[in-house]
Amino acid sequence: METNPAILLLIGTAVLAVTAVFLWPEKGILSRWQQGRQMTDRARREDALKHIYKCEQKGRRASVESIAGALHISTNDVAELLGDMQTSHLLHIHSDNITLTSEGMESALHIIRAHRLWERYLAEKTGFSESDWHSQAELQEHQLTPEAADALAAQLGHPTHDPHGDPIPNAAGSYVYHGGQPLNELAADQPARIVHLEDEPEAVYAQLVAEGLYPGQTVRLIESNSTRIRFWANGNEHVLAPIVARNISVRPLPAVVEEETAVSEKDHGTRLSDLPLGETAEVIRISPNCRGAERRRFMDLGILPGTAITAEMRSPSGQPTAYRIRDAIIALRPNQANYIYVKQV
Amino acid sequence: MTTVNPTVNPNDILQTAESLRWEIGPEFHEQLMEGIYTEAAKLADRAVTRPEEKPRFDLDRTIDKIVTSRVWGFPMMILLFTVVFWLTISGANVPSSLLATLLIDKTVPLLHQGADFLRLPWWLSGLLIDGMYLGTAWVISVMLPPMAIFFPLFTLLEDFGYLPRVAFNLDNMFRKSGAHGKQALSMMMGFGCNAAGVVATRIIDSPRERLIAIITNNFALCNGRWPTQILIASIFIGGLVPAYLGGLISALSVVGIALLGVFFSFVVSWGLSRTMLKGEVSTFSLELPPYRPPRIWQTIYTSVIDRTLIVLWRAIVFALPAGAAIWLSANITIGGVSIAEHLISFLNPFALLIGLNGVILVAYIVAIPANEIVIPTVLMLTVLVTGTDAGAGAGVMFELDSQADTMALFSAGGWTLLTAVNLMLFSLLHNPCSTTIYTIYKETGSKKWTAVAALLPLAMGFVVTFFVAQIWRLFAG
């Protein structure tokens, strides 16, 4: 070879580095360019509509500054954007007061519907993890036409709530919101049901998911002070910082339901993954966090409330563990067995 | 008695239904489904009676305790598979050379006599006999015996119920790379034949893990590539050490390449599950079926019919045109130089850059249908390029009986130790054969995943050989 191998080595490394910078998933130039292309004027407009709508719902007032913060653009750009939107009859601006026209309201509701349907779709029909749902739906909400959203809703069986517990507006744009209160404000010992987990900011949501919390779960506050919130959920005690617990909305349970939960709380049970080898236990329920194909697979295997399961043996490499389920030996990994709650008999 | 109120408006009913939908809660589909399943289970439990008494001695659990024990589990597994591979390699030698003698040494001259008798023009008999027939015969004699031994042995272990326990033992390793424990089995099958390995991924019921297993199956060094590895290792790497160590060192280097393949398959599984395949649905469950005495004759019959013959048939279908292409490329000349030589000199600069040579790259292009014919094609093309007097004529594949002669031919072709090492690496890391590519397409039904499975290993092969070549030249001068 004529060329010096050291030079070729450098060229080769450079080519690999450039390829990596260009094609690296999520952070590479190509995928950034794809994301950037989706940030069109229309997307900005729709994001602004969504922001104003959410402010109205929360009883707050949307301002140029709050929109700039939500959309990560400068206040000058926001002013221009709002001007455009006013000429297209999407909103009214009276001095400081920004409100949606009925047309603007309709668009905002469609975006929210598309976003929440897409989250539901990701949860049920794909393998993306919880922490990816929101960011993916943020992009996809601008792509779904109303017709596509209707088709998706039909495919999913017209769901009423997204996986975080937010209601999905129907095709006409109406929905019922069972508002809750932050967990922090609940009276001690008062049983309540989680109605919503806020999915923003992502780090906080990831923490809630890691705790195994989900909408529909029954919780009971033990202690609430300025440094920490202690509460029961899933038969376990959880401790969260107040700022994190604020993202959990709950609704106190009526007296009748309260009695029912008082009984069931005793046998909240343990996770199947904690069952010692050789012991037998009865299934109480499958966690609602287990969705889609995974949940159906459990049911196909006959893992249902009342089914007896015996832990038989463990792989020499530490996991999975083999269980006897309805006379068949099925091996499950710990992260799956965590979804199954059992009580020992 | 209920009376129908004529003033009820259907829209009111719809509205009531709509408002009730919000009352029943978000999980009602799940609850309904769970209810149906629970009811079905109850019905079944009521109808099916089971003997209450449990046998005191449970043979299955006793076997399981041994084959999945912390002490004996892994040693037993390694021992069993060593025996299977040893039986395959040593058992296939005799029938392979027998087939080669019969199909090639004896039949080819006969066919030529027949062609002369019929007064066929030289190009027709060359194309039909030296091209198509010889290529196919070569594939059959190399491929058939090991497969006819390996597949039945493997199927026996499967039938006995041992293989799911292997997946159970190894699952944790595969889980860490985002794959399924059963990939251990499809990978093992891939050591026999990648096309069969790809078909074997059907046992993985989780879509994401199955795609991973399909795409990475090519990193299991298949039956068609072992002879290349063994030949090159014993000529070049075994030749580096004293004769009494030669056999051991060359065997170790081939095993090293195979382990490197396993390593790559873990790395690529890890990468794919976190990037391209992130969104595919993933579930895990692994049934450990009861043991049963293997049904030997039935197993041999089905594994020969289902696995060996189907794969062999596909290989023949692809080998026929490949044989023709090889012969034609060496015999059609443009400006007095054959197409093969044109291609070789065209590819040479790039090939030398990655530490190979034009002959090897051209051999890999025409041998896409079957890895078995890479070495015969390389030898034939080297003779064509160097003009030495070995071989049986332009476009006629051959192998030399003596390693010294083979080495002499390679030296004449300008091969170095680097060429040999990079050929071994490239033999591991290149596109799967056309039979496998076609099988991947049949199994995934997707052009995208077929393209990924075909091009990813090739790109990796270019990158690895390029860097090895540059670093080698930097340090070895």
Side-chain angles (χ1 to χ4, degrees), chain A residues 202-222:
Chain A
E202 256 173 59
V204 173
Y205 178 63
Q207 201 182 339
L208 299 180
V209 169
E211 292 280 329
L213 302 172
Y214 51 85
Q217 201 169 32
T218 321
V219 294
R220 192 161 53 76
L221 193 70
I222 301 169

Side-chain angles (χ1 to χ4, degrees), chain B residues 207-225:
Chain B
R208 185 201 290 170
E209 282 77 1
R210 176 150 186 244
L211 270 175
I212 292 175
I214 289 176
I215 293 170
T216 61
N217 196 272
N218 185 44
F219 296 113
L221 200 62
C222 74
N223 172 25
R225 293 182 271 173

